[in-house]
Amino acid sequence: MNEILSPDAIQSESEALKIKPRHYELALAEQAMRRTGGRHLSIEDILRRNGFAVDNKSRAKTKGSSKEDLTMQSLRLYVSSANQAAMGLCLLEVRDGILRIAVGDRLDDADLVRITGALQRANHEVSGVEVEPWDRAELARLMREQSEMAGERLLRLLNSLSKDADDAMLVEQAVSDILAEALESRTSDIHLTLQEDDTRCWIRYRVDGDLVYKHLLPHRVMAPIVTRIKTDAKMDAADRQHPQDGRLSFEWQGRMIDFRVAALPIAPSGQKLTLRLLVRENQRSFDELFMHAPMVADRIRKTVHGHTKDGGLIVVSGPTGSGKSTTLYGIIQEIDRASRAVYSVEAPVEYDMPLVDQTSVTDNSANTIADIIRALMRHDPDVIIVGEMRDSDTVEAALRATESGHLVITTVHSVDALHTLDRIDGFLTSAYRTSGLYILGHALIASLSQRLVKTVCPACHKSDTAIHVFGEAERCGDIGINPDDNVALANREGCDLCNHTGFLGRTLALEAMFPPEDQASRRAITEMMVSNVTSSVVDVPGTIYMPRRASIVDLIRRSAIDAHMGASLLIEEAATRQGRA
């Protein structure tokens, strides 16, 4: 029988966890329900799943600490399996700054210095070391398992498949290793091309925004792999004439990873599969997303925490692959979903969000996104998430929802925060344009525009003063940094951590525009949009505008991005602004 806690006990426990009491009560109810089904999750795990608590890893990042938890898999990036074997040990994990090492005999002090030094160069602090004596046979078995990466095993499997492409077990293992290799490589998308011409059957990975050609397979090997993936994704494997969408799950390192699968016929007689990796651990919290833009965070937080139904519109824009969905999900996590009714309409749903009623709309759905938005008006919503505004019906339905007093958060494809207004205007029909722009002018709360910029590898990047990098003080002044400031330079030779590219991961280059809140200024903005002079919106008194240039300069100053790349981005931004003017 489940223990019933008193209100005082709930208050005490919630204060200890730094959460709201009602969030703790929800977690207790979910824990009790899971126990009846024979499963157990801790309160902390349930709170993290529901987005009500920040785990140690996220909290460490927010505070700027380098005490990040590392798995055995990630430790292998800093100290290779070969080096671990040479030292006669196996790195198990880093948790809360404590490094656990399995050894068969003893740990040499020089080896320990090499290990901790490699982690420190990658900005991972180790505050203590726990050495665990292991049986030599068990340690050898563990080291063999860890030394064999999925990519290495995949090469052998593909070689075996070239001799016997009909072996179903080999095909199944090859698919598993393709997915595992992609996850180990920080891949965001997997591209598989099937053609009769063997020279065009490539497996490619999208890593940090770049497409990497990884494996070239003969048609007889690629065909069963494509068929297996389509079958696992609940698609019609025999249909090569029509686009299809599916989804599959894959267990990796004890976690279930979702893949969104899309199939497309391509000329002359082939097909293309694209798999989007949906790794929940890659989602970033609200605080992480806007860590270096406190003004943006405060304005959005004020909106999503409001309880009056005044309506409003938050639009996140950017090109495909710029992280719009990640930002959208980060904002959702900031909403108190325990006290507000939150609905989402997506095409399709990417991540399962606890305490959000999500509706997936696909090409085969009977209803459109606009139909679902209109239907939601009868379900007492507080917040409506629209995955993307991509047509006139969706835009009109979203604007009418804001007019009804609902907060709408959505995305759109546009080049910058101001162009977002033109983009929405372009969707409006002539009959609805005046009314739609009036609603937009009075409902718009924030227009955010983002790009993803490659970050330098923390382990191998170089550092130099700005004056040495850019050559003259005037150039430094144009960029907005002091000549004596240190800036980062990517190491073009790279290291094992960054796969010898010099770059590791990407970060946001953000632009934000917040219109004034008084009605007179709102009317002025509406008139500007009707007259097609949206470039003047930032000049309206009370408008808060953070140009992307400021974000890029901040990234250069913090040595997060390559200085030369940052300077090129500033030139592109200047050209974009000049074109708008």
Side-chain angles (χ1 to χ4, degrees):
M1 189 170 180
N2 295 313
E3 180 183 0
I4 299 177
L5 299 182
S6 67
D8 289 342
I10 291 175
Q11 181 69 33
S12 175
E13 291 291 337
S14 59
E15 288 177 356
L17 293 169
K18 297 181 180 180
I19 60 170
K20 296 179 180 179
R22 63 173 172 268
H23 294 171
Y24 189 78
E25 291 177 351
L26 284 171
L28 282 174
E30 182 174 336
Q31 185 184 56
M33 181 62 71
R34 288 181 178 276
R35 280 176 178 168
T36 62
R39 298 181 59 194
H40 175 74
L41 279 180
S42 69
I43 291 295
E44 290 81 1
D45 286 339
I46 294 173
L47 289 170
R48 292 189 191 103
R49 284 169 51 87
N50 291 340
F52 292 146
V54 181
D55 60 18
N56 292 333
K57 179 178 177 180
S58 298
R59 187 177 294 114
K61 289 181 179 179
T62 302
K63 292 182 179 179
S65 169
S66 58
K67 290 186 178 181
E68 180 180 344
D69 290 348
L70 299 173
T71 63
M72 185 182 294
Q73 178 73 35
S74 54
L75 281 169
R76 196 165 54 195
L77 296 173
Y78 309 107
V79 182
S80 69
S81 299
N83 286 337
Q84 292 184 45
M87 291 184 279
L89 52 83
C90 189
L91 304 183
L92 300 177
E93 66 173 358
V94 173
R95 183 172 295 279
D96 296 329
I98 304 299
L99 171 63
R100 292 177 54 228
I101 305 177
V103 299
D105 188 6
R106 65 183 182 86
L107 177 62
D108 189 275
D109 290 340
D111 290 339
L112 180 59
V113 171
R114 290 172 60 192
I115 294 168
T116 55
L119 294 175
Q120 287 173 355
R121 286 192 297 274
N123 292 333
H124 295 294
E125 178 185 345
V126 175
S127 57
V129 177
E130 291 182 359
V131 178
E132 300 182 8
W134 277 48
D135 176 80
R136 290 187 177 182
E138 283 297 306
L139 180 62
R141 181 189 59 78
L142 179 64
M143 292 169 64
R144 282 196 304 271
E145 291 178 356
Q146 294 305 312
S147 65
E148 184 177 54
M149 298 183 69
E152 299 167 352
R153 187 169 59 245
L154 176 60
L155 291 175
R156 292 200 303 272
L157 280 171
L158 295 177
N159 183 56
S160 298
L161 272 175
S162 65
K163 302 173 184 176
D164 184 8
D166 295 327
D167 190 324
M169 292 185 64
L170 286 179
V171 172
E172 181 180 1
Q173 185 60 56
V175 170
S176 295
D177 283 347
I178 289 170
L179 302 183
E181 182 185 49
L183 287 161
E184 289 175 352
S185 305
R186 309 185 321 278
T187 298
S188 61
D189 299 87
I190 305 172
H191 296 249
L192 298 95
T193 303
L194 175 64
Q195 289 278 25
E196 295 292 339
D197 183 352
D198 288 349
T199 63
R200 298 176 65 182
C201 294
W202 276 99
I203 297 176
R204 298 174 290 172
Y205 297 153
R206 176 80 65 181
V207 181
D208 293 340
D210 292 333
L211 203 57
V212 180
Y213 282 75
K214 195 68 176 180
H215 303 288
L216 179 61
L217 310 180
H219 175 273
R220 67 179 184 279
V221 174
M222 181 68 85
I225 290 175
V226 168
T227 299
R228 178 73 194 204
I229 292 175
K230 292 178 71 175
T231 301
D232 289 346
K234 306 297 189 294
M235 302 160 72
D236 184 354
D239 184 0
R240 299 187 177 188
Q241 306 302 317
H242 302 92
Q244 296 184 68
D245 292 300
R247 199 179 185 100
L248 62 85
S249 296
F250 174 66
E251 185 173 356
W252 185 66
Q253 295 185 357
R255 298 172 293 158
M256 292 305 297
I257 309 297
D258 289 332
F259 291 79
R260 191 182 70 202
V261 185
L264 182 73
I266 54 175
S269 58
Q271 57 181 319
K272 170 74 181 296
L273 289 189
T274 303
L275 287 71
R276 168 64 57 89
L277 282 67
L278 305 174
V279 185
R280 183 173 292 276
E281 284 74 13
N282 288 348
Q283 290 187 31
R284 303 179 66 184
S285 69
F286 183 87
D287 290 333
E288 286 181 273
L289 285 169
F290 302 110
M291 183 191 310
H292 300 289
M295 178 272 295
V296 176
D298 290 343
R299 297 281 298 205
I300 296 178
R301 188 178 283 114
K302 174 185 174 183
T303 298
V304 300
H305 287 180
H307 289 280
T308 57
K309 283 199 172 185
D310 295 330
L313 179 67
I314 297 175
V315 185
V316 181
S317 66
T320 300
S322 61
K324 297 188 297 297
S325 295
T326 299
T327 299
L328 205 63
Y329 281 99
I331 295 175
I332 293 173
Q333 290 186 48
E334 185 64 18
I335 300 171
D336 185 1
R337 287 158 286 138
S339 63
R340 309 189 74 185
V342 182
Y343 296 84
S344 81
V345 191
E346 305 168 63
V349 169
E350 292 193 357
Y351 295 98
D352 175 40
M353 289 297 296
L355 306 183
V356 177
D357 292 310
Q358 298 172 275
T359 300
S360 184
V361 178
T362 64
D363 293 337
N364 298 323
S365 299
N367 299 306
T368 65
I369 294 178
D371 292 333
I372 300 300
I373 295 174
R374 286 189 284 265
L376 287 178
M377 295 300 99
R378 299 187 293 275
H379 289 270
D380 187 30
D382 293 303
V383 182
I384 299 175
I385 313 296
V386 181
E388 181 185 344
M389 295 198 299
R390 59 177 66 172
D391 55 55
S392 58
D393 285 345
T394 302
V395 171
E396 181 175 343
L399 290 176
R400 291 193 183 279
T402 65
E403 189 180 26
S404 308
H406 304 96
L407 175 61
V408 176
I409 307 174
T410 186
T411 72
V412 71
H413 289 283
S414 66
V415 296
D416 57 41
L418 286 175
H419 183 257
T420 296
L421 305 180
D422 295 330
R423 180 70 170 157
I424 294 174
D425 184 5
F427 281 125
L428 301 176
T429 62
S430 57
Y432 183 67
R433 181 173 185 266
T434 302
S435 298
L437 291 179
Y438 177 85
I439 297 172
L440 177 62
H442 286 77
L444 184 66
I445 293 171
S447 175
L448 309 180
S449 177
Q450 59 187 56
R451 296 287 189 278
L452 287 178
V453 184
K454 288 183 181 180
T455 51
V456 294
C457 175
C460 68
H461 78 272
K462 301 175 182 178
S463 182
D464 203 346
T465 59
I467 188 67
H468 286 158
V469 173
F470 297 113
E472 49 188 48
E474 183 179 356
R475 175 66 173 145
C476 296
D478 292 339
I479 292 174
I481 58 177
N482 295 321
D484 295 331
D485 287 346
N486 282 326
V487 295
L489 296 172
N491 181 357
R492 300 301 173 178
E493 295 180 358
C495 63
D496 290 339
L497 176 60
C498 62
N499 200 24
H500 300 283
T501 63
F503 297 94
L504 184 68
R506 292 182 291 174
T507 189
L508 279 183
L510 187 66
E511 181 181 43
M513 190 270 290
F514 298 90
E517 297 179 354
D518 64 283
Q519 293 303 310
S521 299
R522 293 278 183 166
R523 284 194 294 271
I525 290 175
T526 300
E527 292 172 2
M528 290 177 182
M529 290 190 294
V530 172
S531 303
N532 292 316
V533 286
T534 53
S535 58
S536 301
V537 169
V538 295
D539 299 324
V540 175
T543 298
I544 298 175
Y545 178 60
M546 186 187 81
R548 198 184 326 274
R549 174 186 174 82
S551 180
I552 296 172
V553 171
D554 178 62
L555 292 172
I556 297 175
R557 287 174 177 166
R558 291 192 286 108
S559 295
I561 64 175
D562 178 81
H564 292 302
M565 177 182 293
S568 299
L569 292 172
L570 291 175
I571 293 173
E572 293 177 10
E573 283 300 309
T576 300
R577 289 197 306 273
Q578 185 176 4
R580 286 190 61 83

